[in-house]
Amino acid sequence: MAKVPADLKYTREHEWAKAEGTTVRVGITEYAQEQLGDVVFVELPAVGAKVAQMQGFGVVESVKAVSDLFAPLDGAVALVNEALRDAPELVNQDPYGRGWMIVITPSRPAQLDALMTAKQYEDFLAGGAS
Amino acid sequence: MRHRLFPRDGAVKQRGGARRSVSLYHGVVVNEALRRTPLYAAHLAAGARMVPFGGWEMPVQYSSILEEHRRVRRAVGLFDVSHMGEFEVAGPGAIGALQYLTTNDAAALDVGQVQYSLLCSPAGGIVDDLTVSRLDDDRFMLTVNASNIETDWAWVTGHSRGDARWRNISAETALLAVQGPRAEPLVADLADCDVKSLGYYRFRDGAVAGLRALISRTGYTGEDGFELYVAAPDAERLWRTLLDRGAPAGIAPVGLGARDTLRLEMRYVLYGNDIDQTTNPLEAGLGWVVKPAKGDFIGRDAIEKMRAAGIPRKLVGFEMVDRAVPRHGCRIVKEGRAVGVVTSGTYGPSVDRYIGIGYVETPLSAVGSEIQVEVRGVPQTARVVKTPFHPSNVKKS
């Protein structure tokens, strides 16, 4: 079963969200990178761009597929992982660490509480993730 | 995540009931009557991710597409391509039938030689690309694309002329490809005949691992290697023996995902993506297998007229300058005007670039020409480059 760190929150679109003081770091889960296969390209927004919960903020491409990325909460992009430009494989190698994608300054931080816990995400995966 | 998949699957025939297949991408359940090769169980045992391809359930990858691709270029990889079709044509009329049906000159083949060729329609469109192997003076084998087996069979038997006996041996024939710089010592070790001296696009009848095989020095990767035609019941044993005896050389199974990145780096066309009935050999860069001087064949007149009139568009290779992944169907534009379309695109692991091939208006087809590829509606700069993208390492002569 794919790794699901206990200290993160999760979405049904297989993103993870990590509270870091006043900001929230976002990436895709181990399950998502396994399903995708080799990531060869990541398209991320510019710093300052607005994101809205469950709206697309970018795209992750593997050799065979193109997948949209969905923001777990409303806010503005504070940081973008520039390392993914030349090393998109970081998403496969370390999806919860060096494969992080954006950091958001949330406009409604309470949205984080409504996301799935690790246990809920595990159950979601076990139930077929649909 | 919601996935959009590339490349498009070939013509998949929908038939009622039958086998449901869960595709690679979560949540997408495909209800098709998919065929399986004799190695289906072996693929599952090796951890393959199976996907629909041309009406077959095939392994797209076992570990990682990029890793499998690199393994073929650096060591040796093993492919199951048993889904492809094989026809035999024999008799005093065989050569005449072949000459009429195909564009290349089959009469120029020695016994033991292979040629790449095309089946064309009267309008000069491409029905299929294939190889023709001369088994004897009056006996030939055609190797055709998996997605076209039924249509090609109807085509060749429907248009055959003279005293030629056709047999569709696809179901009883398995095909394994061993490709990479370490392929020769491995196959030589297991073969009962000399394969080191076997030239490129030549074949020999012999045995590999004690199993009767037609050993052909051909492939779809740009590396040295062999395609081994064996009886379907022998496929699994040959597969396991190659994996076993090739282990010290680093052999592993390679799926269709890496097969696609390998061939694209060599600018080899894929039927259904780059060529089909709406494309002609001249614009596709396949004029070199069209030999009008050999005599009449289906499509010859139409192709000659096209040659005389000039070709308005050409299939070219290009490299992205802006960072974006070109994909089948992406429009090619120049200063806001649509000038072409991408037919295949990917990340090329051996060239470490985003590359693609596509049709562009002839005036824009020269090497160095700057074009734009529309990815998600945004024009991204690309440049026409020389192909192949990666140097060929096939056996010289």
Side-chain angles (χ1 to χ4, degrees):
Chain A
M1 171 84 144
K3 191 174 102 178
V4 179
D7 61 331
L8 305 179
K9 302 302 282 280
Y10 298 86
T11 73
R12 300 176 76 84
E13 298 292 343
H14 308 286
E15 283 92 14
W16 56 263
K18 183 176 188 190
E20 294 181 342
T22 57
T23 55
V24 176
R25 192 175 299 261
V26 174
I28 66 170
T29 64
E30 165 106 20
Y31 174 84
Q33 70 78 21
E34 251 169 28
Q35 290 297 298
L36 270 172
D38 299 294
V39 173
V40 296
F41 182 83
V42 185
E43 186 180 281
L44 296 175
V47 169
K50 296 273 184 291
V51 296
Q53 191 177 49
M54 284 304 113
Q55 299 298 305
F57 72 83
V59 164
V60 56
E61 300 200 39
S62 67
V63 180
K64 281 286 174 245
V66 176
S67 276
D68 295 311
L69 298 164
F70 298 95
L73 63 184
D74 300 339
V77 178
L79 275 181
V80 167
N81 189 353
E82 298 290 345
L84 296 184
R85 179 183 309 278
D86 291 322
E89 64 273 12
L90 288 172
V91 175
N92 298 116
Q93 291 165 2
D94 191 10
Y96 298 114
R98 289 171 310 141
W100 69 273
M101 293 187 172
I102 57 173
V103 170
I104 299 174
T105 303
S107 52
R108 294 163 57 191
Q111 285 176 325
L112 197 56
D113 302 332
L115 299 180
M116 282 192 271
T117 62
K119 176 77 178 58
Q120 287 169 332
Y121 182 63
E122 276 171 355
D123 291 344
F124 175 63
L125 292 181
S130 56
Chain B
M1 331 201 77
R2 277 160 248 158
H3 303 276
R4 299 188 288 282
L5 311 182
F6 300 92
R8 293 179 317 180
D9 191 6
V12 173
K13 295 181 175 40
Q14 300 281 337
R15 271 168 262 166
R19 191 174 294 135
R20 281 169 79 78
S21 152
V22 180
S23 92
L24 169 67
Y25 300 102
H26 176 70
V28 177
V29 179
V30 175
N31 190 2
E32 296 159 2
L34 295 173
R35 300 176 64 183
R36 293 173 176 172
T37 72
L39 292 164
Y40 180 80
H43 297 318
L44 293 186
R49 195 173 294 192
M50 307 298 284
V51 293
F53 182 83
W56 295 74
E57 199 173 345
M58 296 299 288
V60 67
Q61 66 185 79
Y62 300 82
S63 59
S64 128
I65 293 177
L66 300 185
E67 190 194 299
E68 292 166 29
H69 176 115
R70 291 173 181 134
R71 182 184 301 277
V72 171
R73 295 247 184 267
R74 295 174 188 167
V76 55
L78 178 60
F79 299 81
D80 173 19
V81 284
S82 302
H83 58 323
M84 298 190 72
E86 294 84 6
F87 307 150
E88 252 191 40
V89 59
I95 184 63
L98 266 185
Q99 290 290 65
Y100 181 63
L101 287 163
T102 69
T103 60
N104 206 346
D105 186 4
L109 284 170
D110 299 326
V111 173
Q113 196 178 7
V114 189
Q115 70 184 197
Y116 181 50
S117 191
L118 304 170
L119 296 173
C120 281
S121 66
I126 301 174
V127 171
D128 206 1
D129 65 336
L130 69 159
T131 57
V132 177
S133 303
R134 187 166 209 157
L135 307 174
D136 209 330
D137 287 339
D138 60 358
R139 210 157 60 89
F140 298 81
M141 178 178 70
L142 282 61
T143 306
V144 301
N145 283 297
S147 56
N148 294 331
I149 295 175
E150 275 77 46
T151 41
D152 287 358
W153 180 248
W155 185 266
V156 300
T157 53
H159 289 91
S160 183
R161 36 162 64 165
D163 182 9
R165 293 181 307 278
W166 289 89
R167 287 201 308 139
N168 184 346
I169 56 171
S170 305
E172 62 209 66
T173 306
L175 183 57
L176 275 58
V178 185
Q179 302 277 306
R182 297 182 194 161
E184 186 188 83
L186 172 60
V187 176
D189 203 39
L190 291 170
D192 69 339
C193 54
D194 176 17
V195 300
K196 288 191 204 273
S197 66
L198 193 58
Y200 188 51
Y201 268 64
R202 298 242 167 210
F203 70 89
R204 197 158 271 163
D205 245 311
V208 179
L211 303 162
R212 286 286 322 274
L214 190 155
I215 305 164
S216 180
R217 201 156 205 154
T218 44
Y220 194 51
T221 61
E223 298 302 318
D224 186 24
F226 301 87
E227 294 181 310
L228 308 174
Y229 296 82
V230 294
D234 290 341
E236 206 170 352
R237 198 156 126 227
L238 179 59
W239 177 268
R240 294 195 193 289
T241 307
L242 285 164
L243 289 179
D244 200 49
R245 295 286 289 273
I251 201 172
V254 178
L256 295 186
R259 185 169 166 79
D260 191 48
T261 50
L262 286 160
R263 69 95 188 169
L264 188 51
E265 285 186 341
M266 302 309 299
R267 193 233 187 263
Y268 296 158
V269 295
L270 173 62
Y271 194 87
N273 258 36
D274 313 302
I275 56 173
D276 60 27
Q277 296 236 20
T278 71
T279 68
N280 67 70
L282 300 179
E283 63 186 353
L286 299 178
W288 61 280
V289 294
V290 178
K291 309 277 169 68
K294 66 148 181 180
D296 191 29
F297 57 86
I298 304 174
R300 183 175 80 157
D301 286 351
I303 294 169
E304 286 316 284
K305 286 196 172 72
M306 290 173 188
R307 201 192 299 269
I311 316 298
R313 63 174 198 168
K314 287 188 170 169
L315 187 66
V316 298
F318 61 86
E319 202 172 88
M320 296 307 297
V321 174
D322 287 340
R323 293 186 77 83
V325 186
R327 304 278 189 179
H328 177 90
C330 287
R331 286 199 326 166
I332 298 177
V333 299
K334 177 86 175 175
E335 283 142 22
R337 197 170 61 84
V339 298
V341 66
V342 176
T343 55
S344 293
T346 191
Y347 169 70
S350 300
V351 296
D352 192 24
R353 296 243 194 299
Y354 303 114
I355 59 173
I357 59 180
Y359 290 96
V360 297
E361 292 175 357
T362 301
L364 292 169
S365 64
V367 168
S369 165
E370 195 182 276
I371 54 175
Q372 293 169 307
V373 177
E374 268 183 2
V375 179
R376 290 185 280 282
V378 178
Q380 306 280 4
T381 303
R383 186 172 39 236
V384 176
V385 295
K386 252 171 66 93
T387 54
F389 301 94
H390 184 269
S392 171
N393 291 314
V394 299
K395 183 162 174 72
K396 303 289 175 280
S397 90

